[in-house]
Amino acid sequence: MATATGLFFLTTSAFSVTSKRPSVSLLVNKVHSFRLRAANIEGSEIEGKEEVGISEKKKIFVAGATGNTGKRIVEQLLAKGFAVKAGVLDVDKAKSTLPGQNPDLQIVKADVTEGSARLADAIGNDSDAVICATGFRRSLDFLAPWKVDNFGTVNLVDACQKLGINRFILISSILVNGAAMGQLFNPVYIILNVMGLVLVAKLQAERYIRKSGINYTIIRPGGLKNDPPQGNIVMQPEDTLFRGSISRDQVAEVAVEALLHPESHYKVVEIVASTDAPKRSFEELFGSIEQQ
């Protein structure tokens, strides 16, 4: 699976009955057990299972998990207490790239270009959400951006729908809709689209996601930097930003936090980093963007 790309410039106890008539203490235990079950119904499914001694974590499938952005997403998901199923092209490479000996990490072979049926098998029935951090690899194949960034993403969405997974997060890019923004002659827009119309391919995938009915968060980062974060995250609505850059660590953070905050649902957000921007919570950042 190809790795993520972006504009380079720029998450009862049991008891037995020993007599026909229950004792007072037994009745108390029953009432307590009923209250525990009621509380579990109102709380999360995970909390309910922990009451009976079963610990289960939400499992997130990450497509493009060995990419520069994907591996950061995997690391941050694990740090936040999620289980991760990492979808990769090269399993051996992934074992040396991703955090080793972690019981919450599962590595599976998955190629987004091979169709939704195979992807559904790789994602499995145990995944709760999918994060797509794929991107084409530069090659002489000018159709690669369409195979990966468009059709590959579509295959992932279709696989989710086959499995009943209703949470999908996509790492896209600013300027994907540059023509509509009046940025048709922006040098970066031109350069990237010369490389197989990559931004157009990403935009088509975005449109498919938005029409699919799946609960999405589309994240459009500025120029991706491997350096540690410098400055705070600036989040704007779609088709707003056409310059700026951001650390891949922050992009990964936004993707993981999108899993934790309902304010991120059904939204397209554009992000860069700025040393002049104030520090804002993710509730505030996501909450400042209107649903589409």
Side-chain angles (χ1 to χ4, degrees), residues 82-97:
F82 289 95
V84 177
K85 184 177 287 188
V88 304
L89 280 178
D90 187 333
V91 173
D92 290 333
K93 174 187 174 182
K95 289 178 179 178
S96 62
T97 302

Side-chain angles (χ1 to χ4, degrees), residues 27-159:
L27 290 174
V28 170
N29 284 339
K30 286 185 176 180
V31 172
H32 179 65
S33 175
F34 174 80
R35 287 177 177 172
L36 279 177
R37 289 196 298 270
N40 289 337
I41 292 172
E42 294 178 357
S44 70
E45 181 181 344
I46 293 177
E47 290 173 346
K49 291 179 178 179
E50 287 176 346
E51 289 290 342
V52 293
I54 301 175
S55 177
E56 181 178 324
K57 296 184 177 184
K58 294 291 184 182
K59 181 176 288 186
I60 312 302
F61 181 88
V62 180
T66 53
N68 286 325
T69 302
K71 66 184 179 183
R72 288 169 167 83
I73 292 173
V74 170
E75 291 166 356
Q76 293 199 31
L77 283 169
L78 293 171
K80 283 284 187 178
F82 289 95
V84 177
K85 184 177 287 188
V88 304
L89 280 178
D90 187 333
V91 173
D92 290 333
K93 174 187 174 182
K95 289 178 179 178
S96 62
T97 302
L98 299 175
Q101 305 301 317
N102 191 316
D104 292 324
L105 174 62
Q106 179 183 359
I107 300 172
V108 297
K109 182 175 175 58
D111 186 341
V112 297
T113 68
E114 291 185 345
S116 61
R118 288 193 176 185
L119 279 174
D121 290 339
I123 294 169
N125 293 318
D126 56 346
S127 296
D128 297 287
V130 168
I131 298 178
C132 177
T134 59
F136 81 102
R137 290 173 176 171
R138 295 183 182 182
S139 69
L140 296 177
D141 183 0
F142 287 99
L143 293 178
W146 288 85
K147 292 176 181 177
V148 176
D149 294 287
N150 182 12
F151 302 129
T153 303
V154 168
N155 288 337
L156 276 171
V157 174
D158 289 347

Side-chain angles (χ1 to χ4, degrees), residues 259-270:
L259 293 169
L260 302 173
H261 300 290
E263 294 88 353
S264 69
H265 293 180
Y266 300 100
K267 292 184 178 181
V268 180
V269 301
E270 298 188 341

